[in-house]
Amino acid sequence: MAVDPTQRRVLRAYLRAVALAEPLQHELAARHGVSLGDLHAVRVLARIGEVSMSSYGSELGVPRSTITNLVDRLERAGLVERASSAKDRRVTLVRLATAGRRAVADTDVLLRSQVAARLLALEPEAQVRLAELLERVVASPPVVRPVDDGRGRP
């Protein structure tokens, strides 16, 4: 599938927006002593709540050994806690610790960022429309399909 000029514009604008947010993500990760990927994992756990290790791994799309190492790191950083399931003692649950909830709720850095300044400078109607579009993109199921880059390559 060839990319038309509008699609190309959307993709370029998205990449520029992501680049604008990157310093903010790095500051948040450094502030909480974890990598960007680990911070993402903390946010996913905040969204799904207390869950078994295997379900957490499935949600993140990582194998069992990787989720164990990830939870080890997050636990050492004080962001998550492990607990035994009351229903099945063979099952280990993972949940956010107090510091993990703080990391997810950390909006000080965001509010002082260039990203926030630019977003909040938009007219209220534009803010609403942008929020609606971003929420729609985030809520859509992932679709994997090669896109022709216009040079005959996907």
Side-chain angles (χ1 to χ4, degrees):
M1 169 166 90
V3 178
D4 69 39
T6 300
Q7 292 170 325
R8 181 163 282 135
R9 180 179 176 202
V10 166
L11 295 173
R12 284 186 179 151
Y14 167 77
L15 289 176
R16 290 177 60 212
V18 168
L20 183 65
E22 195 170 321
L24 169 66
Q25 293 292 346
H26 283 287
E27 186 174 345
L28 281 169
R31 188 176 193 165
H32 297 287
V34 295
S35 70
L36 283 174
D38 289 356
L39 185 59
H40 168 72
V42 170
R43 289 181 178 142
V44 168
L45 186 58
R47 181 176 47 80
I48 63 176
E50 183 178 75
V51 66
S52 70
M53 294 276 288
S54 60
S55 295
Y56 189 32
S58 294
E59 186 70 25
L60 291 169
V62 298
R64 175 176 242 134
S65 61
T66 302
I67 196 63
T68 299
N69 291 331
L70 171 65
V71 171
D72 286 346
R73 282 194 312 277
L74 296 177
E75 194 172 37
R76 279 193 303 275
L79 299 171
V80 303
E81 303 169 335
R82 285 183 169 100
S84 294
S85 169
K87 295 177 183 173
D88 184 347
R89 290 180 28 202
R90 297 171 296 176
V91 174
T92 299
L93 302 173
V94 62
R95 62 180 172 229
L96 283 183
T98 302
R101 286 189 292 280
R102 258 186 273 134
V104 171
D106 187 355
T107 58
D108 293 347
V109 175
L110 173 61
L111 292 174
R112 291 190 327 266
S113 73
Q114 282 296 310
V115 174
R118 292 176 185 202
L119 293 174
L120 300 179
L122 295 171
E123 302 80 22
E125 299 81 20
Q127 289 179 26
V128 169
R129 184 68 181 136
L130 179 60
E132 289 169 348
L133 289 170
L134 292 172
E135 288 164 353
R136 190 168 144 199
V137 168
V138 171
S140 334
V143 176
V144 179
R145 67 172 190 232
V147 176
D148 184 338
D149 68 359
R151 293 177 280 187
R153 296 179 297 194

